[in-house]
Amino acid sequence: MREKLMFTSIALSCIGSAWASTEKQPNIIVINCDDMGYGDLSCFGNPTIKTPHLDRMAVEGQKWSSFYVSSSVSSPSRAGLLTGRLGVRTGMYGNERGVLFPDSPEGLPAEEITIPELLKNAGYHTACIGKWHLGHLPGYRPLDHGFDYFYGMLFSNDMSRKEQVKLGNVNYPYELVVYEQEKEIEREPDQTLLTKRLTDKALRYIDTHQANPFFLYLAHPMPHFPVYASEPFQGESDGGNYGDTIEEIDWSVGCILDKLKELGLDKHTLVIFTSDNGPWLPYKDQAGSAGPLKDGKNSHYEGGFRVPCIMWGNMISPGHVTQMGSTLDLLPTCCELAGVDLPSGVIYDGKSLVGVLRNSKEQSPRDEFYFYRGSLLYAARKGKYKLHYMDKSAYGKDKRVLYDTPKLYDLSTDPEEQYDVANVHPEVVAEINRMVEKHRSSFSIAESIFDKRKEVKE
């Protein structure tokens, strides 16, 4: 196993020529929402939810409409964002319950190297404000993974005794706890105030650290079920309670953009807005929308993995980017902007998007993507084509089925993944199969999708 200290020390010696650049190192803010669907923002086509601040951010920056997370559930997705590595490399691919719970003994492994750890080597101050969900025991918390400051919760907002009792789980033993650094400061907080409180903390952090480069990871616990908004937003949205929650998040983004402009930090701050996975559809009107995409959270279809993404900042070339990008790409992107070379000897699944950020017409380095559920590869995409090898509903009790003949979809004309064109394009099927086998050759844990053509038992 790799030793984190060895590689972080290597990273210190690997600050390359970019470090000597006269360009000011940018501040970096990643705003990561929870269960926000591809179709939840007005700039992504929502007809009832108003998001004027995010719409402005999309016009002034880049709107990425083919942007993917590494997993369609929370813990593995967040691990992928912070490490730039798929869960089948880090072990964070989800257990039988998919995500970490208050009784889970594991978390993000100590040897994994995160964005904040690498940026600290270049003089950045780092903060995590909001939802963590990568381990609650000592050794797995934000301060153990490179963050200088933490304010927030270690779990999802539904992992709360108060909320579970409302759902009839009267014996649920765990409370939702708010921490500052390692100190517990509150149990079962008023969730209507969470978005506002986290926004206030983020604004205060920006004020306090404006003199030096910083990395701020603002991870909203909303709009994960149960959805809440503070009193000024309640009943205001045409999209109901869920819309109220999204519109308060939009307000929060507006506050951050305004604060950056007020302090003159907008000239050298990159802001990235996205979501950890698609909408939790079983909650119906208390959940979001995947827009034109199929299915949602916990599925291998586009609605589970493709999320809204907007990137904003003075270094951004404005435009609508239809090429692929991923949260896996954020680590190498942040490192290139900060002037930090990636540690040698580590396999990264992310690719730097700096070229596209500086020229929205430039070709994205990402032309392929892999759709894992747990340690199983359900589908793979190359260019506009996506090949499905197996199927299972997001939350049903149906058995996983391995297709005798993989199904191929042209996402450019069929984002709902309805029309199988494998018979029309056998050469594409063969090309993606070769791509997948090459990808699998770098793993010891990933199971082969070609081992046997029969139903895979649970």
Side-chain angles (χ1 to χ4, degrees):
M1 293 177 68
R2 298 174 301 111
E3 293 293 335
K4 176 185 290 190
L5 288 177
M6 178 179 72
F7 279 105
T8 51
S9 64
I10 290 174
L12 274 168
S13 65
C14 290
I15 297 176
S17 59
W19 171 249
S21 170
T22 57
E23 291 185 12
K24 183 177 176 66
Q25 290 173 299
N27 305 309
I28 300 170
I29 301 175
V30 176
I31 304 173
N32 194 28
C33 295
D34 199 336
D35 292 2
M36 178 178 284
Y38 184 84
D40 282 348
L41 309 179
S42 52
C43 54
F44 277 79
N46 193 287
T48 56
I49 300 175
K50 300 178 182 64
T51 54
H53 302 291
L54 284 160
D55 297 351
R56 171 170 61 93
M57 186 178 171
V59 170
E60 295 176 354
Q62 290 181 357
K63 170 187 169 182
W64 288 67
S65 57
S66 196
F67 195 81
Y68 291 100
V69 290
S70 63
S71 172
S72 60
V73 291
S74 180
S75 297
S77 173
R78 291 162 191 269
L81 185 158
L82 289 175
T83 66
R85 287 158 49 83
L86 287 165
V88 284
R89 298 195 198 279
T90 66
M92 291 292 294
Y93 53 80
N95 54 25
E96 69 280 357
R97 293 186 289 178
V99 301
L100 297 175
F101 280 77
D103 60 353
S104 297
E106 63 275 328
L108 182 63
E111 62 266 26
E112 289 300 321
I113 304 170
T114 63
I115 296 174
E117 286 175 302
L118 290 169
L119 295 191
K120 283 176 70 171
N121 292 332
Y124 279 69
H125 194 277
T126 61
C128 173
I129 296 176
K131 174 185 169 180
W132 176 239
H133 212 183
L134 289 172
H136 71 286
L137 297 175
Y140 296 128
R141 295 181 177 186
L143 301 186
D144 300 312
H145 282 289
F147 287 104
D148 296 309
Y149 177 73
F150 172 58
Y151 178 91
M153 294 73 62
L154 296 174
F155 296 103
S156 300
N157 67 324
D158 65 329
M159 297 180 184
S160 149
R161 181 183 300 165
K162 183 167 65 175
E163 297 300 329
Q164 290 297 319
V165 167
K166 292 178 184 178
L167 298 173
N169 300 325
V170 295
N171 295 320
Y172 187 84
Y174 304 107
E175 293 181 303
L176 188 66
V177 180
V178 179
Y179 291 88
E180 186 160 28
Q181 300 297 73
E182 294 288 344
K183 182 180 179 181
E184 177 185 318
I185 62 172
E186 186 178 2
R187 288 179 175 261
E188 299 292 7
D190 180 351
Q191 294 206 28
T192 66
L193 299 177
L194 282 182
T195 298
K196 183 179 186 306
R197 286 176 62 178
L198 297 177
T199 302
D200 289 344
K201 284 290 183 182
L203 295 175
R204 192 172 304 130
Y205 177 82
I206 294 169
D207 261 327
T208 305
H209 294 86
Q210 59 180 291
N212 296 298
F214 61 80
F215 172 75
L216 170 59
Y217 175 56
L218 174 57
H220 284 291
M222 304 293 172
H224 187 288
F225 178 86
V227 290
Y228 288 102
S230 63
E231 192 278 331
F233 293 91
Q234 293 171 12
E236 292 297 309
S237 174
D238 292 337
N241 293 338
Y242 187 88
D244 294 342
T245 303
I246 298 295
E247 292 185 10
E248 185 166 25
I249 291 173
D250 178 74
W251 163 84
S252 171
V253 171
C255 290
I256 289 170
L257 298 185
D258 289 345
K259 173 61 71 174
L260 294 173
K261 290 188 174 183
E262 172 195 327
L263 299 176
L265 299 179
D266 55 309
K267 300 296 189 294
H268 51 272
T269 300
L270 171 65
V271 182
I272 301 168
F273 179 92
T274 191
S275 176
D276 67 341
N277 49 249
W280 204 355
L281 296 178
Y283 286 102
K284 301 179 182 179
D285 65 341
Q286 298 299 299
S289 166
L293 308 179
K294 183 173 181 177
D295 219 324
K297 179 177 180 176
N298 203 41
S299 82
H300 52 288
Y301 290 100
E302 290 293 289
F305 277 81
R306 199 192 300 194
V307 293
C309 178
I310 304 170
M311 303 196 195
W312 178 95
N314 194 53
M315 72 291 293
I316 297 285
S317 163
H320 178 193
V321 180
T322 59
Q323 303 175 73
M324 273 189 277
S326 170
T327 51
L328 290 166
D329 302 327
L330 297 189
L331 182 145
T333 300
C334 291
C335 285
E336 181 173 349
L337 288 170
V340 180
D341 288 342
L342 299 181
S344 61
V346 182
I347 297 175
Y348 284 100
D349 298 292
K351 304 172 185 295
S352 174
L353 302 175
V354 168
V356 185
L357 296 185
R358 290 176 174 160
N359 179 0
S360 61
K361 304 301 182 184
E362 182 168 315
Q363 182 66 36
S364 171
R366 178 170 293 284
D367 190 47
E368 58 190 51
F369 196 78
Y370 302 93
F371 300 79
Y372 281 93
R373 291 176 65 177
S375 62
L376 286 173
L377 183 68
Y378 273 69
R381 176 180 174 180
K382 182 170 180 59
K384 66 180 182 177
Y385 291 104
K386 182 176 176 181
L387 191 65
H388 286 246
Y389 295 105
M390 59 183 76
D391 189 39
K392 187 183 185 305
S393 63
Y395 289 100
K397 296 182 179 180
D398 54 315
K399 296 177 180 178
R400 189 187 303 115
V401 175
L402 185 66
Y403 294 133
D404 290 330
T405 303
K407 298 181 185 293
L408 183 70
Y409 302 98
D410 180 348
L411 296 178
S412 68
T413 58
D414 181 23
E416 294 177 282
E417 299 167 275
Q418 296 187 63
Y419 308 110
D420 180 12
V421 295
N423 290 336
V424 182
H425 297 289
E427 76 287 353
V428 175
V429 174
E431 181 183 16
I432 296 178
N433 283 342
R434 289 192 296 270
M435 178 189 83
V436 167
E437 284 295 355
K438 181 179 179 181
H439 166 73
R440 284 188 57 252
S441 69
S442 64
F443 291 95
S444 60
I445 188 172
E447 301 177 39
S448 174
I449 56 175
F450 300 115
D451 285 343
K452 47 189 177 182
R453 295 290 180 194
K454 66 180 183 178
E455 183 181 273
V456 179
K457 302 297 183 181
E458 284 288 357

